[in-house]
Amino acid sequence: MLKFLLVCTLAVASRAELTEEEDVLVLKKSNFEEALKAHPDILVEFYAPWCGHCKALGPEFAKAAGTLKAEDSKVRLGKVDATEETELAQEYGVRGYPTIKFFKGGEKESPKEYSAGRQADDIVNWLKKRTGPAVATLAGVTEAESLIADNEVAVIGFFKDANSDDAKVFEKAAEAVDDIPFAMASDDAVYSKFEVTKDSIVLFKKFDEGRNTFDGELTKENLLAFVKSNQLPLVIEFTEQTAPKIFGGEIKSHILMFLPKTSSDFQDKMAEFKKASEGFKGQILFIFIDSDVDDNQRILEFFGLKKEECPAIRLITLEDEMTKYKPEMDSITAESIIKFCTLFTEGKLKPHLMSQDIPEDWDKTPVRVLVGKNFEEVAFDPSKNVFIEFYAPWCGHCKQLTPIWEKLGEKFKDSADTIVAKMDSTANEIEAVKVHSFPTLKFFPAGDERKVIDYNGERTLEGFTKFLESGGKDGGAPAGDDDDLDAEDLDDVDEGQDEDSDGEGYDEHDEL
């Protein structure tokens, strides 16, 4: 009996470890497996208490948890303080905050990455799609009205025959969309209520024109393209909540208008911007950024802008390599924006490369100071071996490297054929080198071949010296080689994430 009581006590104590805060399970390494046994389907946020993005997500995450709990859903939401539960964070590859993963069916090994927006509705819809039928069945007008009222965007397929070929295509498309609810209606009253006279697919939304009706050959690909083209507003404001939708979509060309909301002509400028957007739907995302918001200052820096220079327009492509474009005219009118975007879509624009002015004493110090305007002539001087640190002023790893780099410059300052240099890559851009993390170290050997060699050795004075004395062989690798990263390299990548040097966006995560 004593043994039985002890086992029961231990079991109760184990279950007691699963505490909640605002309907969100508080998870730790000690109770993680217990949580998965008790609640097989859990969406887990790995966060840091100091992370601004996590603080913004917190209320929405709690709201989503409360919604699911009120609906008696078996799906739960949990959170892990990754700064305390470091083993758990490391086990699931957490490299930035917040990281959100979905554990389904009690499986611990391979959770699904959360891929939708950061508002409560986005979270709930994504989870319902992951755990329930891809297409809900609407029994009548009331259910249809509720679906539309409860969601920013919803897609309804009006099919008299739920087993028709078109209805099956609709279901296939629904399975591929995580963040928008799909439903099917066949009742005459629903057709009548929404003025649908024949089988149709309608996207309902709480912005712009309110609804869009699919037109064309019904294939899964065409329907998905229709949804992606219409699910975002013509002009979307960049915020913590909208960032995942902006960066997660298939439209990788974004035009940004930096403008303070407090500006007296704010509404006029927005009207011009929106008018211009109508002709580029599905090609270019039109994004507004409030230049007065403190959290947006890093984005301004990324584009080489200051608050006093706003309003301003910039265009960026987020393909394999990030490319920025700047209009020749400063005026913000529908006409000027349309002209700028048309030149871009026709491939007639040249990338805008930022550059500081050349400092008067750029070559007077042991470590030469390079900017965009003098990079080519120095780095590709055929008579010189040039070793360059591409850095960011705010980067902690760059600051740690500074004294070593200065000693290296001092050691080679009298060399006739070797130059040690540095360039602030947040204020200077060049075509020859795309910087993806800080610091990035590259060697440009003498000769006419314009070779570039990545430095992959130890970041010590001895390591740098051996590298230079070996002509870039000891510790070097051809530029672009994807060697395995060690722990220090991973930190460097994360150090660059806020500046979005990984090419994913212009401000999406807090660094580790």
Side-chain angles (χ1 to χ4, degrees), residues 69-82:
K69 197 172 184 181
E71 294 176 356
D72 291 325
S73 171
K74 293 182 179 180
V75 182
R76 298 300 306 273
L77 270 61
K79 61 182 179 179
V80 174
D81 182 344

Side-chain angles (χ1 to χ4, degrees), residues 129 134-135 165-177 182 184 219-221 223-224:
K129 274 295 188 70
V135 178
D165 290 341
D166 283 353
K168 290 177 181 176
V169 171
F170 182 74
E171 288 185 7
K172 288 292 183 184
E175 291 168 359
V177 180
F182 278 59
M184 197 179 297
T219 65
K220 176 184 173 182
E221 293 72 25
L223 183 52
L224 290 176

Side-chain angles (χ1 to χ4, degrees), residues 271-273 275-276 332-339:
E272 293 291 309
F273 197 55
K275 183 179 179 182
I332 297 180
T333 64
E335 183 182 2
S336 64
I337 296 168
I338 290 170
K339 181 179 179 181

